[in-house]
């Protein structure tokens, strides 16, 4: 009955064959996971479905591991190689909407070989971190930003959207269950990876009729365990990361695989990552998988922080937004940061290699750094560009004078050591 | 011992943790699937691995279905929704190279939720067709082209390459095993989907330390069951398919998900697919997921077939190459095609919307069509461009005078009805 209603609702999706296919495997097998009349919206006159169920935290089912694994020593962590005991899964279908959320033991997903994510890159993800302070309190950093960006990403590749607050509630439940996996040492955290994939069991470049949202968690150590180490970038003119009308402004899997070979080639040339340039004037856009900032001494005596504007090619990074906000709060006197100059300005504007090169030659280049969830701030000391190396100033600790101050405030707020409304408490202990 | 050798070989890949992870699940569990000393190349002095095993057809293991499914009626086929009884899988790892090829019952893949394909779009694929003629003979069409393009795609996103002839042998074995699934009716075929995905069980944007090549097959009917139906295109200026320095010239999953929303939007505007344009002069590049050709009456009395050059943004399509070759064989007198004009020229050159629009207005536009494995040739009768519709001539049968002749020869050679070295026999009956 439900299937019949759904079928009439979603005419033209051509999914009916997959539904009738006896090989069809649902991600959830719980008998209570079937949507019932109280969970879907029906037209009072016809009884037809008028809206599909959204993610509903109250439907969460938890199946705990029978033998929890030992938590590894914090000193041995390699980014993204170790995962906690549990994961969150929420299946979606064009017929049933968002189905029962489940927290289950971490383990392999069963995916039909025709699943569209495997063929057409129907995937998007987020990167978040949970922190544990010295009192045992567990916090997330600006998780609402990730939930909002997931919607934007989903819309861009026709994956289903959802109530971000509802997903956040479920992520909090997962983090609470596995909170003993969060390393307490300074600079350590639990990296959280929400992922949404198209799981339609049929080939065809179209909006998928099935999808799966899952969240896995990985305890991680500091990006720079021996202190900040500035990186050398290769200003690539052979490859692009993004272009106008493309997907650079969205956190899609499709933006990442194409960057691996350019990164390898930069490595062979003696650089750590790529500086992604755009257009004939070689505008700076991003650094590896991070947003970027450059700081100039301006002619009028001001110190100018510049980051490329969100023109569709730039990922709207949470760390990027946080750096901008901290700088603006200082500039406008809302929250002064000790150590930042009084004469600071911040501009989201295009910046070219010609400008950076000239500033380096004239001694007006203050610093250049990348920002991202994994490394927070990543200072740069060199850019290989058109056959020569542009030297970028860095301090004795590897950082520049602006990023050093901002980093300290940012990490304080991230870990909850500096109280702010950016830090959301998940568990008191 | 083997793992230790491999570990020293692939230093810096950071995969050792995944190998030691007790949750690691190999795609093949056969005891004989472990590489042994006869299958890998070792340094005679040190015993260290010097090369990793390539795909080896002689190692093929076949596990047949116990209950073959009934083959569906040809009249009910929907593209890519029905799959045959078996699939081919070949796992790869940075330590073991290409492992045992297996033909097994079609069924779900077990993928760790951290697998890089699910996060970073580490996937590429091919589209091929097997045909069955009236005598029962089974053939493939230019499969060497697909095998070569798979290598090019793999290199572009740091997935492992392999011996294409070896994979082709294995695909032939799969097709022979499931040949009763190939519909015999005119225009029907078995669509073959080789896919290569990165399966590293750890987050990290890098060359994966594990991969899986799999091949699935789907019986398909004719793209236009009621005869050719020309399509209306929307010349999009909002979205791009590719850009210089990107991945448009490679058959990567990453090129496909971003096209779904533009296609939906074109549909809402009353068009069937997008005409992908590039640059300020609006160069025509591709049509939906197909290559494209346009035919002009040239000033000097010639009839000119134009297709955009392989400049890195254009997929090197097998059908595209076949159309070019057939036209050239006619032009240079190697193989005249009855019905094509004597005064034909073919140019791989850039073509702009200004040129197409002017030709339509002047009556010198002969036709415009897309080419691809699924539809073979797809005629176009309209382009929505900057607020107006450009009408493209089509004949009473929906096709234009050039594509009609080429389509007939091409389909003849594809099905083997017209003998040529493009058709490769897989089974005599």
């Amino acid at each position: 009955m439900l299937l019949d209603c759904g079928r009439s609702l979603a005419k033209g999706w051509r999914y009916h064959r997959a539904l009738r296919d006896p090989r069809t495997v649902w991600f959830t097998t719980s008998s209570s996971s079937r949507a019932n009349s109280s969970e879907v919206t029906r037209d009072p006159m016809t009884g037809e479905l008028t809206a599909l169920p959204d993610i509903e935290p109250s439907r969460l089912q938890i199946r705990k591991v029978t033998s929890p694994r030992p938590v590894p020593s914090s000193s041995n962590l390699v980014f993204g190689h170790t995962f906690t005991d549990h994961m969150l899964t929420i299946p979606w279908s064009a017929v049933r909407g968002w189905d029962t959320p489940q927290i289950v033991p971490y383990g392999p997903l069963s995916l039909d070989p025709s699943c569209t994510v495997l063929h057409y890159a129907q995937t998007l993800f987020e990167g978040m971190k949970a922190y544990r302070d010295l009192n045992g309190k567990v916090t997330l950093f600006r998780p609402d930003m990730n939930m909002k960006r997931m919607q934007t990403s989903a819309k861009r590749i026709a994956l289903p959207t959802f109530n971000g607050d509802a997903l956040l509630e479920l992520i909090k439940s997962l983090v609470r269950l596995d909170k003993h996996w969060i390393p307490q040492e300074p600079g350590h955290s639990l990296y959280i990876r929400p992922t949404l994939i198209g799981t339609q069991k049929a080939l065809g470049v179209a909006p998928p009729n099935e999808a799966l949202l899952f969240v896995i968690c990985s305890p991680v150590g500091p990006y720079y365990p021996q202190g900040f180490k500035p990186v050398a970038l290769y200003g690539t003119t052979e490859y692009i990361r993004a272009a106008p009308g493309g997907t650079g402004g969205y956190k899609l899997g499709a933006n990442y695989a194409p960057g691996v070979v350019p990164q390898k080639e930069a490595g062979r040339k003696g650089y750590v990552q790529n500086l992604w340039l755009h257009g004939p004037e070689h505008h700076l856009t991003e650094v590896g998988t991070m947003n970027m900032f450059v700081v100039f001494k301006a002619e009028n005596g001001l110190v100018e922080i510049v980051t490329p504007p969100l023109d569709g090619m730039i990922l709207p990074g949470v760390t990027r937004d946080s750096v901008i906000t901290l700088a603006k709060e200082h500039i406008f006197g809302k929250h002064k940061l000790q150590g930042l100059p009084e004469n600071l300005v911040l501009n989201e504007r295009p910046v070219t290699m010609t400008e950076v090169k000239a500033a380096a030659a004239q001694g007006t280049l203050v610093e250049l750094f990348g920002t991202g969830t994994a490394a927070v701030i990543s200072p740069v000391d060199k850019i290989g560009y058109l056959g020569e190396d542009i030297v970028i100033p860095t301090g004795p600790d590897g950082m520049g004078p602006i990023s050093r101050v901002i980093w300290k405030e940012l990490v304080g707020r991230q870990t909850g050591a500096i109280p702010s409304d950016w830090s959301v408490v998940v568990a008191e202990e």
Side-chain angles (χ1 to χ4, degrees), chain A:
Chain A
M1 178 59 187
L2 174 69
L3 291 180
D4 285 335
C5 293
R7 203 174 287 163
S8 67
L9 182 77
K11 263 180 195 165
W13 282 66
R14 288 195 181 179
Y15 58 86
H16 49 289
R17 272 167 206 284
L19 283 176
R20 277 183 290 182
D21 188 330
R23 293 165 302 174
T24 299
V25 179
W26 298 100
F27 284 99
T28 170
T29 53
S30 156
S31 60
S32 67
S33 69
R34 296 203 65 137
N36 61 44
S37 56
S38 70
E39 292 156 348
V40 298
T41 310
R42 287 174 186 279
D43 184 293
M45 298 298 284
T46 65
E48 281 199 341
L49 285 169
T50 54
L52 290 168
D54 205 328
I55 291 178
E56 180 46 62
S58 68
R59 293 173 67 195
L60 174 64
Q61 297 178 348
I62 299 178
R63 180 164 56 86
K64 291 187 189 175
V65 290
T66 47
S67 312
R69 278 172 294 117
V71 176
S73 159
S74 295
S75 56
N76 291 332
L77 296 171
V78 177
F79 183 85
H81 277 65
T82 309
F83 298 94
T84 65
D85 280 330
H86 298 93
M87 63 182 185
L88 170 68
T89 62
I90 320 173
W92 173 92
S93 83
V95 178
R96 297 152 62 83
W98 287 101
D99 217 318
T100 308
Q102 293 192 305
I103 290 177
V104 294
Y106 183 96
L109 304 171
S110 178
L111 294 175
D112 196 87
S114 67
C115 268
T116 39
V117 61
L118 304 178
H119 301 264
Y120 306 127
Q122 288 183 330
T123 173
L124 62 91
F125 66 92
E126 280 297 322
M128 309 164 67
K129 279 182 176 172
Y131 303 87
R132 193 181 186 97
D133 73 10
L134 293 172
N135 302 317
K137 197 164 69 176
V138 175
T139 58
L140 291 170
F141 182 70
R142 305 189 76 184
D144 55 312
M145 297 279 285
N146 299 97
M147 296 301 102
K148 279 182 198 142
R149 190 169 59 184
M150 263 189 113
Q151 313 295 325
T152 320
S153 300
K155 278 183 197 147
R156 180 61 183 86
I157 53 170
L159 285 172
T161 54
F162 51 86
N163 178 345
D165 292 338
L167 176 59
L168 183 54
E169 278 312 303
L170 291 163
I171 290 175
K172 286 178 183 173
S173 297
L174 176 64
V175 171
R176 276 191 285 263
L177 188 62
D178 280 349
K179 66 181 179 186
H180 58 290
W181 283 82
I182 311 175
Q184 201 168 29
E185 293 83 352
H188 289 60
S189 59
L190 186 71
Y191 183 82
I192 304 167
R193 172 57 65 91
T195 311
L196 177 55
I197 59 176
T199 53
Q200 167 167 304
K201 299 175 191 71
L203 304 177
V205 184
N209 61 21
E210 289 182 52
L212 179 69
L213 197 163
F214 64 89
V215 183
I216 55 177
C217 302
S218 172
V220 295
Y223 205 82
Y224 296 107
Q226 271 85 45
F228 279 93
K229 191 179 170 346
V231 296
L233 302 179
Y234 177 69
T236 178
T237 52
E238 300 95 324
Y239 296 102
I240 59 162
R241 178 189 169 274
T247 58
Y250 306 87
K251 204 156 179 72
L252 306 180
N255 294 333
Y256 291 83
V260 174
V261 163
Q263 197 275 331
K264 279 175 69 182
E265 293 187 6
R268 275 199 288 270
K269 292 185 177 86
Y271 302 91
V272 174
Q273 260 298 357
N274 285 283
L275 174 60
W276 299 106
L277 305 175
H278 174 70
E281 293 181 70
H282 293 165
H283 284 94
L284 288 75
T285 62
E286 295 200 15
V287 166
T289 58
M290 290 185 281
N291 290 121
M292 61 138 305
F293 289 76
V294 53
V295 183
F296 298 107
K297 285 180 209 161
E299 285 186 359
N300 43 12
L302 297 174
V303 176
E304 185 195 22
I305 308 180
V306 178
T307 194
L310 299 180
D311 57 3
M313 286 189 286
I314 305 294
L315 189 79
V318 178
T319 313
R320 175 188 182 277
D321 185 84
S322 302
V323 169
I324 290 173
T325 303
L326 289 179
K328 283 189 175 169
E329 286 185 359
H330 172 83
I331 291 165
F332 296 115
K334 186 178 169 197
H335 182 83
K336 286 281 175 192
L337 293 184
Q338 198 178 1
L340 282 193
E342 281 301 316
N343 54 348
L344 198 65
V345 290
L346 183 137
N347 288 313
E348 293 182 65
R349 68 163 173 86
V351 54
T352 66
M353 279 307 298
T354 303
E355 184 179 4
V356 170
K357 194 176 160 180
Q362 292 157 16
T364 55
L365 184 60
V366 179
E367 62 172 312
L368 194 149
F369 56 94
T371 65
T373 294
V376 187
I377 280 178
S378 183
V380 175
D381 63 359
K382 193 164 71 176
I383 299 172
Y385 177 63
L386 299 181
E388 61 179 300
D389 279 346
I390 300 169
V391 175
I392 317 285
T394 54
D397 59 352
M399 305 198 79
I402 306 299
S403 63
R404 186 186 297 118
V405 177
I406 290 178
W407 175 81
K408 198 178 160 191
E409 175 76 13
L410 188 50
V411 167
R413 292 200 191 187
Q414 283 177 335
T415 57
I418 299 175
S420 82
D421 56 6
W422 283 351
S423 188
V424 175
V425 175
V426 175
E428 288 297 340
E429 58 183 46

